[in-house]
Amino acid sequence: VCLVPPLLIDHWVNHLKQVFNDEPERVVGLNSASHFGEHHHNRIVVVSKWSWAFHFRKIKSALTTPVCVIVDEVHQGRTGQINDIKVDEEYAGMAGQEEDSKSYTTEMAKKDSDNLRTVVRETCRNAAFVIGVSATPINLDLSELNTILTDLGEIGFEEDELYKKVKGYASDLGELTLKAKEMDTPISRKEFFQPI
């Protein structure tokens, strides 16, 4: 099961068909999770994670434990903020709910976010393999990274020496990222990463 943002369903389907080129018919992209059923067993199903969360009560009865769950943009839903929510079905063609929308409150965002996180946890719970994909966590506070790991069924960092070292590393890397955005001239990777 590949849980992805709505606009990336076709992207994932195309790439997975190339990987499984001996059995491309095994890869199925669903425009709505409401179409998921028992006939999808032993298939590679790519579906919007927001649609998956929305229809999970129905899906749950047809879902056997997946061998592997992939969650793309795994950081989405971690904070419960409006700009963290990508509303599905009705808004599937949009990047997400507009932040200045008066009708979409922080409480609604928190509810949608919690629902997504709960469904991801339940989907991943007994899977043999779980993969979370994101370019964002490198800039996250470690408490948010821990939330992501917990949602995927893994153990996060504890308040110990390792946590402090990783927290320092993440902070230094974040500072370098900001520095890179402000730079006008190119710099070698070696020189750029020298401080870290």
Side-chain angles (χ1 to χ4, degrees):
V1 176
C2 300
L3 304 177
V4 306
L7 297 177
L8 295 179
I9 293 171
D10 290 341
H11 172 81
W12 274 90
V13 167
N14 292 336
H15 282 281
L16 286 168
K17 283 186 176 187
Q18 289 175 11
V19 172
F20 295 94
N21 59 12
D22 55 334
E23 297 179 283
E25 68 281 354
R26 282 190 64 202
V27 181
V28 178
L30 300 179
N31 61 1
S32 172
S34 63
H35 303 302
F36 182 84
E38 293 179 1
H39 57 283
H40 288 112
H41 293 174
N42 201 30
R43 298 280 178 106
I44 299 163
V45 178
V46 182
V47 62
S48 160
K49 59 185 163 187
W50 300 97
S51 181
W52 190 261
F54 185 77
H55 294 287
F56 193 69
R57 284 190 191 142
K58 177 188 171 217
I59 293 167
K60 197 172 173 181
S61 62
L63 183 66
T64 58
T65 302
V67 173
C68 181
V69 177
I70 297 173
V71 184
D72 191 12
E73 301 295 344
V74 69
H75 60 277
Q76 290 176 337
R78 75 192 184 279
T79 65
Q81 298 302 313
I82 289 175
N83 62 1
D84 207 24
I85 303 301
K86 307 290 182 209
V87 182
D88 191 50
E89 302 295 325
E90 185 178 345
Y91 300 103
M94 298 172 57
Q97 183 77 4
E98 291 186 24
E99 291 181 38
D100 61 354
S101 171
K102 304 295 184 244
S103 62
Y104 197 69
T105 64
T106 301
E107 290 76 29
M108 292 167 74
K110 178 85 173 99
K111 182 179 176 191
D112 287 348
S113 167
D114 287 347
N115 186 44
L116 175 66
R117 290 187 55 219
T118 299
V119 167
V120 167
R121 282 183 186 197
E122 193 155 342
T123 305
C124 294
R125 184 173 45 204
N126 297 317
F129 302 96
V130 178
I131 301 169
V133 181
S134 177
T136 300
I138 200 69
N139 297 323
L140 295 182
D141 181 88
L142 278 192
S143 64
E144 290 182 357
L145 187 55
N146 278 341
T147 298
I148 291 169
L149 291 170
T150 301
D151 291 347
L152 297 178
E154 294 298 323
I155 298 170
F157 297 100
E158 296 177 10
E159 286 287 347
D160 60 9
E161 210 51 43
L162 174 64
Y163 178 92
K164 291 174 187 168
K165 287 179 183 175
V166 174
K167 188 171 185 174
Y169 174 83
S171 175
D172 290 347
L173 198 55
E175 285 179 30
L176 286 174
T177 302
L178 290 174
K179 181 180 166 184
K181 289 178 181 178
E182 296 169 357
M183 296 175 79
D184 293 332
T185 57
I187 185 172
S188 72
R189 285 179 58 93
K190 183 178 179 183
E191 187 180 351
F192 179 73
F193 286 106
Q194 177 70 38
I196 205 164

